[in-house]
Amino acid sequence: MQLLGGTASPFVAKVRMASVVCGIELDFEIVDFVGTSDTLNAANPIGKVPVLILPNGEAVFDSSVICEVFDRMSGNQLIPQTLDGFRRIRTFDAAVTGVTDALALCIYEVRYRPDDKRHPDWTDRQMGKADRGLRWLEEHLVDLGESVGLGHCGLAALIGWMDLRFEGKAAKDAPKLVEWADEFFSDHPNIAAMKPFLP
């Protein structure tokens, strides 16, 4: 199977980490998801990464759906199957996604809008969402459980990405998450190798 994505994307990193947990080998193809990539747009009309290309050529997107496909393929190694376990991990992952989305919007506001078109109040609201989400994640770390799964991959990808794009923010605003990530990456170097990075 082939995975289309970028090296700095937290969502791509989450999928790559999940593939390691599930023992699924991927051919990783780096695509330009900021500009116009014919390969990406042919696979995903929305033009977002990651995209999983199945052996039959069909495309699967986005990261949550890809991880659920990996979960089914691996006999449910990523997501608990009890109602309570499923609810906790999927909610945890939704919080991780929400924090990531809010922080990404802050980056895009600065990167893609001219100074005179930026809206600091809007950016502050997004940062507020991220900060509340980080506090919630710290309070719910226990929901991850011992077995490495979807929540671990999502959180590890988020913290790795924050280290890349928001240097010092996680250590200042979510020290428990950073402590967790440091220990997690130390215990799982094969997963740590999938952290977001700049080429």
Side-chain angles (χ1 to χ4, degrees):
M1 287 186 290
Q2 184 181 31
L3 184 71
L4 307 180
T7 62
S9 166
F11 296 114
V12 172
K14 177 173 90 170
V15 166
R16 294 181 73 206
M17 290 176 183
S19 73
V20 171
V21 173
C22 295
I24 295 171
E25 290 190 25
L26 298 174
D27 292 324
F28 182 42
E29 180 180 340
I30 299 170
V31 294
D32 176 14
F33 62 94
V34 176
T36 301
S37 167
D38 292 339
T39 301
L40 177 59
N41 291 335
N44 179 355
I46 301 166
K48 292 177 67 176
V49 295
V51 178
L52 178 71
I53 307 297
L54 299 175
N56 66 3
E58 291 186 24
V60 180
F61 49 88
D62 65 1
S63 61
S64 293
V65 179
I66 295 169
C67 286
E68 287 187 19
V69 168
F70 288 171
D71 185 58
R72 298 282 180 99
M73 290 174 65
S74 67
N76 306 119
Q77 290 188 39
L78 290 176
I79 305 171
Q81 294 303 292
T82 65
L83 179 59
D84 189 56
F86 179 88
R87 175 187 60 80
R88 287 175 184 269
I89 290 303
R90 292 299 282 124
T91 301
F92 193 94
D93 187 57
V96 167
T97 299
V99 170
T100 306
D101 286 342
L103 291 174
L105 289 172
C106 292
I107 290 173
Y108 296 154
E109 182 73 8
V110 173
R111 185 180 293 168
Y112 298 115
R113 292 175 73 92
D115 289 345
D116 62 328
K117 302 287 186 188
R118 293 181 190 162
H119 300 279
D121 291 344
W122 182 87
T123 305
D124 289 346
R125 283 197 302 275
Q126 299 308 314
M127 193 60 74
K129 292 177 187 180
D131 291 342
R132 289 191 303 274
L134 289 168
R135 287 193 296 273
W136 187 92
L137 291 168
E138 284 198 320
E139 293 166 6
H140 290 82
L141 271 173
V142 67
D143 290 349
L144 287 177
E146 294 298 320
S147 297
V148 177
L150 179 65
H152 297 78
C153 296
L155 182 57
L158 169 62
I159 298 302
W161 176 69
M162 288 183 69
D163 287 345
L164 189 67
R165 297 296 192 192
F166 294 88
E167 187 177 354
K169 178 172 177 55
K172 180 174 73 73
D173 296 336
K176 291 179 186 173
L177 299 184
V178 172
E179 182 181 344
W180 174 88
D182 287 345
E183 184 176 334
F184 180 75
F185 287 136
S186 176
D187 291 346
H188 304 281
N190 55 341
I191 294 176
M194 302 297 152
K195 285 195 291 188
F197 68 94
L198 294 174

